[in-house]
Amino acid sequence: MDQNLTNYISNMSATTSTTLQQSPKLSLSTAKVKRTRGDSVRIGMIAYGAALLRVGVMVPVFASVIAVTLYLTLPNSPLPPFLGIQPGSQWYTVAYSSCLTGMLWLVAALPVCYLSFAQSANPRNYTLLRSRLNQLKASLDMQDDADDAYEESNTSATVMKASGIDEHNKHKCKVLKEARACYTDISEKLYKSPSGIRWIIGAGYNSAWTLLHHAEEAMIEVADVEEAVRGAKHDFLAIQDSGIHGEDELLDDVVEAVSMLKPGAVAYFKEHQPSKSSVALSQLTQLMNKFSDQSTASSIAGNGSGMNSVNPDAQAEARVMLREVRSTLNDFRDKRWEGLVRQRSGLLKAMAVTGFVTYALLCLIILKSSASVLTSSGLLVANQQFTNTQSGILAATMFYMIGAIAGLFVRFYSESRGVNSVDDFGLSSIRLIAIPLLSGLAGIGGVLFTEVLAALGGPALIGPTPEKPIAISNLFSLDPRLLLTAAVFGVTPNLLIKGLQDKANKYASELQGSKASETGGAGAKG
């Protein structure tokens, strides 16, 4: 039945192509949706907005660096008034650093716009996605699209006529419409919305892969027998030792379905049976013996191969079973990819919030202090020594750097020992970027904790110290013992990052275990 259906589809496709050329009405069955100049401007603006968000994660860190540098150099590098604010005002450093950071933010986002597009945010993932999308397009017998256009169906009848399926076969028509709708949705994402924050964080790729997987699952019900069996073998290899719940049952379903579609192909599944699945192996042996008996009887009776004696309804049920197995495998893998994307997005949000809070606290400290020493005429005194608050901020900056370096060294060592076997959407790079921020704050927090304990009666922690009030100017001083304290506390954020890394490694291990090959066959995701 499937071979006859394939021939019928080919004949109907040729007839439909001739009819489309002869009939003006049917020539409107599909429409080429192309980008206009307004669409290009809109896409560019979305890319720039996404670039602003991408760079904006580190903007508070840059603002803090500019503010500290400006605040410490004001006594020796007098600057002109800014926005009507005199350099001697506490607001001068905050206003100047905020405006300068804002301008740098807007400029730095321009070259990052290129990385906000789907084809450049994750080139490997995009290439694999396009390759598999082209395979789906060929299966649907659709025309090639330009880079600035995609094919969009107008009516449901168009899909049936273009695919050459009898309109009375409602199930197969529904399956083809389902696959065609998924293809159109993916094309719309790639051609009408090729830029944006969803491509940067990876959610756009996951969404496109989910649609593509759904379309490929639907095509199992209309694909030829050889293609269905090839996909079944790929799924069989991917499920083995993957840790999917109900692994043995899924393997049994694949073998049973293949025995219904093409009994002779069951022999290729025997050598890959897991030794622990004795039930599946026993069932496989029985099926092969049954097929051998059927083939012998068929050759004696002269009734042809055993495949022709298979009930068409049983073949349809076998295809549905293969589709269900593929869906289970895809769902298992897609959820792991989504876990990596969520972890990366959560880490980016934590970095942005932490950086903003750090900058806000720094501005608060600056506003509560005097930015410089003024003469009676209101001018800055050249070569003026640092005030107590400036000395404290300078010491805190040193503690921040020591903690960041210590934490980054430990994190780099940990990352170098790991093996990144799957595409984690840049999660490992984000962990490296997050460590200096978290470790620097941990270094400052460790020194602050130690100093407060010492001031409250714990001099044994850092040795005898004279009594002094708790203030910013007194809490932070360039003491070698405090530098060591900052380095020790700077390593602690790696414990949190290590927990996130272990969870990501678990996702990666499960993805690698459920991957049949490196070339990305049916059901695999790059």
Side-chain angles (χ1 to χ4, degrees):
M1 175 179 178
D2 292 290
Q3 185 62 35
N4 295 333
L5 178 60
T6 302
N7 295 334
Y8 180 71
I9 292 175
S10 302
N11 295 333
M12 286 297 295
S13 299
T15 304
T16 303
S17 300
T18 304
T19 305
L20 288 176
Q21 294 176 359
Q22 296 175 353
S23 174
K25 295 182 179 180
L26 290 179
S27 63
L28 298 177
S29 60
T30 59
K32 287 288 187 178
V33 179
K34 303 193 68 174
R35 295 178 192 157
T36 63
R37 181 172 298 179
D39 291 334
S40 299
V41 174
R42 176 183 59 82
I43 292 173
M45 295 300 296
I46 293 176
Y48 183 68
L52 287 175
L53 292 177
R54 183 168 187 165
V55 178
V57 175
M58 298 301 298
V59 162
V61 178
F62 298 147
S64 299
V65 173
I66 294 175
V68 169
T69 303
L70 182 63
Y71 183 71
L72 295 179
T73 56
L74 270 178
N76 298 314
S77 302
L79 297 173
F82 180 76
L83 298 178
I85 303 176
Q86 296 295 328
S89 173
Q90 292 91 336
W91 288 96
Y92 185 87
T93 301
V94 176
Y96 196 94
S97 62
S98 298
C99 291
L100 182 58
T101 303
M103 290 186 292
L104 292 177
W105 184 14
L106 296 177
V107 174
L110 290 175
V112 183
C113 288
Y114 175 74
L115 299 178
S116 302
F117 287 86
Q119 64 267 30
S120 52
N122 193 325
R124 181 179 181 274
N125 210 314
Y126 178 79
T127 301
L128 292 175
L129 179 63
R130 286 300 304 268
S131 176
R132 292 274 290 280
L133 190 62
N134 289 334
Q135 295 178 17
L136 175 62
K137 181 168 57 177
S139 300
L140 293 172
D141 195 22
M142 300 177 64
Q143 297 178 357
D144 291 335
D145 298 328
D147 292 338
D148 61 345
Y150 71 95
E151 191 172 2
E152 186 178 69
S153 300
N154 293 331
T155 62
S156 300
T158 298
V159 180
M160 302 176 189
K161 293 179 180 179
S163 302
I165 297 297
D166 185 7
E167 296 183 12
H168 299 290
N169 193 336
K170 295 183 179 180
H171 178 69
K172 291 190 179 296
C173 290
K174 179 181 178 180
V175 168
L176 285 172
K177 287 191 294 184
E178 193 175 351
R180 184 68 174 267
C182 291
Y183 174 85
T184 302
D185 287 345
I186 300 173
S187 298
E188 183 177 1
K189 290 178 181 294
L190 296 178
Y191 296 131
K192 295 185 67 175
S193 303
S195 63
I197 190 63
R198 60 181 178 178
W199 300 110
I200 293 177
I201 64 177
Y205 297 103
N206 277 346
S207 177
W209 276 110
T210 300
L211 289 172
L212 180 60
H213 288 159
H214 188 76
E216 291 176 341
E217 295 161 12
M219 292 300 294
I220 293 176
E221 298 193 40
V222 296
D224 54 42
V225 175
E226 289 74 15
E227 183 67 19
V229 172
R230 187 190 72 86
K233 183 175 181 180
H234 176 279
D235 295 344
F236 190 91
L237 296 175
I239 293 173
Q240 279 186 327
D241 301 323
S242 63
I244 299 178
H245 179 68
E247 176 182 329
D248 291 342
E249 290 77 5
L250 293 174
L251 294 177
D252 293 344
D253 291 340
V254 173
V255 174
E256 181 70 26
V258 171
S259 68
M260 290 294 180
L261 291 176
K262 195 172 184 179
V266 178
Y268 297 101
F269 290 77
K270 180 178 180 181
E271 61 184 71
H272 299 290
Q273 280 288 334
S275 57
K276 64 181 180 180
S277 180
S278 58
V279 177
L281 183 59
S282 176
Q283 182 183 11
L284 177 62
T285 304
Q286 294 176 5
L287 288 172
M288 292 182 63
N289 292 336
K290 180 179 178 181
F291 168 70
S292 178
D293 296 340
Q294 289 179 350
S295 299
T296 303
S298 298
S299 61
I300 296 176
N303 291 329
S305 63
M307 186 181 66
N308 294 331
S309 62
V310 178
N311 190 343
D313 293 336
Q315 285 197 352
E317 292 176 0
R319 290 176 179 272
V320 173
M321 183 57 64
L322 288 179
R323 178 178 179 178
E324 184 63 25
V325 172
R326 177 73 62 80
S327 177
T328 302
L329 177 60
N330 287 336
D331 183 68
F332 176 82
R333 292 175 59 81
D334 288 342
K335 287 182 178 179
R336 273 64 188 171
W337 289 112
E338 291 174 4
L340 291 174
V341 170
R342 286 196 303 269
Q343 189 177 127
R344 180 178 183 269
S345 300
L347 193 55
L348 285 173
K349 292 177 182 177
M351 289 172 56
V353 173
T354 304
F356 178 79
V357 172
T358 302
Y359 180 64
L361 291 176
L362 177 62
C363 291
L364 182 62
I365 294 174
I366 293 176
L367 292 177
K368 290 297 183 179
S369 64
S370 58
S372 60
V373 178
L374 300 178
T375 63
S376 58
S377 61
L379 297 177
L380 284 167
V381 177
N383 300 321
Q384 177 66 41
Q385 297 294 327
F386 286 159
T387 64
N388 291 334
T389 302
Q390 287 173 324
S391 299
I393 291 180
L394 177 61
T397 302
M398 293 297 297
F399 298 145
Y400 186 98
M401 295 177 62
I402 293 297
I405 293 173
L408 187 61
F409 177 80
V410 175
R411 171 68 0 217
F412 181 78
Y413 175 75
S414 178
E415 292 286 349
S416 64
R417 296 182 61 187
V419 178
N420 191 11
S421 56
V422 298
D423 180 13
D424 60 356
F425 295 99
L427 178 58
S428 57
S429 300
I430 296 300
R431 287 197 297 260
L432 282 175
I433 297 175
I435 274 296
L437 175 62
L438 300 178
S439 296
L441 293 178
I444 295 178
V447 172
L448 179 63
F449 177 76
T450 303
E451 286 276 46
V452 170
L453 283 184
L456 293 178
L461 293 174
I462 60 173
T465 56
E467 294 185 2
K468 52 184 177 181
I470 300 177
I472 294 296
S473 57
N474 296 327
L475 285 177
F476 299 110
S477 59
L478 293 178
D479 191 318
R481 292 169 294 183
L482 295 180
L483 293 176
L484 179 61
T485 301
V488 172
F489 277 86
V491 178
T492 56
N494 280 279
L495 300 177
L496 173 63
I497 297 296
K498 186 178 184 300
L500 297 177
Q501 184 181 11
D502 292 341
K503 190 173 183 179
N505 290 340
K506 180 182 178 182
Y507 288 147
S509 177
E510 292 175 342
L511 286 169
Q512 190 67 19
S514 60
K515 190 174 183 179
S517 65
E518 292 292 336
T519 56
K525 173 182 174 181

